Amino acid sequence: MKLHQQRTCIGCRTITSQDELLRWVLNQEAPLRGVQLDLSAAASGRGAWTHRTEKCVQHAVRRKAFSRAFRSAVNDSCVAQQFAAYEDQSVKGRLSGNHDESGSEI
């Protein structure tokens, strides 16, 4: 039996299984620390979590929740672009019927 880790969405502040959330991390290489999506949820360092909805992501940006989560001033201007690209990729995957080796949809 696999236990699912619980995380809090920084957008809506709801506690949810991390399997239902997206992980965001700091891009340390950018001149002004930027936020980037961590689809593998395995990057090292502090992470911030949002639901996989545009509403929660936008709410987190408006509330400046990324800066609080990372305890540092961050450039979150590219968050919306990254989320839109993630959504486009997800939609394309569902439409094409991509499946992993187990037969489940990716």
Side-chain angles (χ1 to χ4, degrees):
M1 182 171 137
K2 181 180 175 187
L3 294 176
H4 295 284
Q5 296 279 335
Q6 299 288 302
R7 299 288 183 253
T8 302
C9 171
I10 62 172
C12 67
R13 305 293 300 155
T14 303
I15 297 172
T16 309
S17 168
Q18 84 179 31
D19 295 341
E20 299 176 29
L21 301 171
L22 292 173
R23 184 171 189 253
W24 300 84
V25 294
L26 282 179
N27 179 358
Q28 301 290 352
E29 297 173 12
L32 177 59
R33 302 169 96 184
V35 178
Q36 68 185 38
L37 197 53
D38 175 19
L39 293 177
S40 68
S44 62
R46 179 177 293 275
W49 300 81
T50 63
H51 281 105
R52 300 169 189 256
T53 64
E54 186 176 0
K55 180 179 176 181
C56 281
V57 172
Q58 287 179 349
H59 198 65
V61 170
R62 276 196 313 272
R63 292 180 52 238
K64 301 194 184 311
F66 287 103
S67 292
R68 279 194 302 283
F70 294 121
R71 300 177 185 168
S72 167
V74 298
N75 178 5
D76 55 11
S77 62
C78 61
V79 169
Q81 291 173 327
Q82 289 185 43
F83 183 74
Y86 161 78
E87 276 191 319
D88 289 346
Q89 194 68 11
S90 293
V91 169
K92 285 179 187 175
R94 284 192 301 262
L95 292 177
S96 69
N98 287 342
H99 293 79
D100 66 9
E101 294 165 0
S102 69
S104 299
E105 284 193 47
I106 301 176

